[in-house]
């Protein structure tokens, strides 16, 4: 497994931006898919974005609700994944989790076997 530590959450007004970071250790960073999920109060954890490499091609996946506003990226030199969040909405309020794994369904939680502790993002209206 890989150890994951998220940071960068906080309180922001609607329309604002935040950048989340996920530092990874314990396994070759580039060898597995990584993703962001989020869980709002009273709701199930849901997919946000994922990054997966297949050969020389990097694939990125986004939930419809964040497409065009959020950007996932990875810095392999720093073993860190990022989630740039722009045009934030109150409905983006949630605990955001990063995950790593080698499953074949990048949007599904079952593809990931390592999880961070989560970071709170609160968007005020």
């Amino acid at each position: 497994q890989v150890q994951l530590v998220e940071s960068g959450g906080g309180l922001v007004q609607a329309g604002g931006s935040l950048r989340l970071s996920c530092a990874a250790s314990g396994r070759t960073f580039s060898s597995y898919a990584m993703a962001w999920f989020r869980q709002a109060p009273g709701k199930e954890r849901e997919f946000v974005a994922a990054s997966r490499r297949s050969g020389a091609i990097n694939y990125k996946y986004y939930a419809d609700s964040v497409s065009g506003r959020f950007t996932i990226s990875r810095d392999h030199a720093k073993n860190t994944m990022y989630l740039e969040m722009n045009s934030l909405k109150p409905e983006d309020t949630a605990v955001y989790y990063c995950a790593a794994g080698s499953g074949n369904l990048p949007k599904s939680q079952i593809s990931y076997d390592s999880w961070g502790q989560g970071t709170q993002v609160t968007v005020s209206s």
Side-chain angles (χ1 to χ4, degrees), residues 12-125:
V12 64
Q13 288 188 333
S17 298
L18 279 176
R19 189 177 78 159
L20 305 183
S21 299
C22 175
S25 61
R27 203 165 75 184
T28 304
F29 183 71
S30 61
S31 67
Y32 46 86
M34 294 191 72
W36 291 97
F37 289 80
R38 67 186 182 185
Q39 188 169 20
K43 295 186 177 181
E44 294 185 352
R45 189 158 55 185
E46 64 176 5
F47 169 77
V48 175
S51 170
R52 179 178 68 89
R53 174 178 287 181
S54 179
I57 302 174
N58 292 309
Y59 294 92
K60 297 182 180 181
Y61 308 84
Y62 295 96
D64 290 343
S65 59
V66 306
S67 183
R69 299 189 297 122
F70 290 11
T71 302
I72 188 172
S73 62
R74 295 169 70 165
D75 184 332
H76 293 270
K78 296 182 178 180
N79 284 359
T80 301
M81 175 178 68
Y82 303 98
L83 185 67
E84 186 74 36
M85 305 185 295
N86 298 314
S87 302
L88 282 161
K89 304 175 181 179
E91 50 263 45
D92 294 318
T93 295
V95 177
Y96 284 70
Y97 299 90
C98 69
S102 55
N104 294 322
L105 301 173
K107 297 183 179 181
S108 174
Q109 296 183 53
I110 65 173
S111 292
Y112 303 95
D113 56 8
S114 297
W115 293 82
Q117 82 288 351
T119 185
Q120 177 70 47
V121 172
T122 303
V123 184
S124 63
S125 58

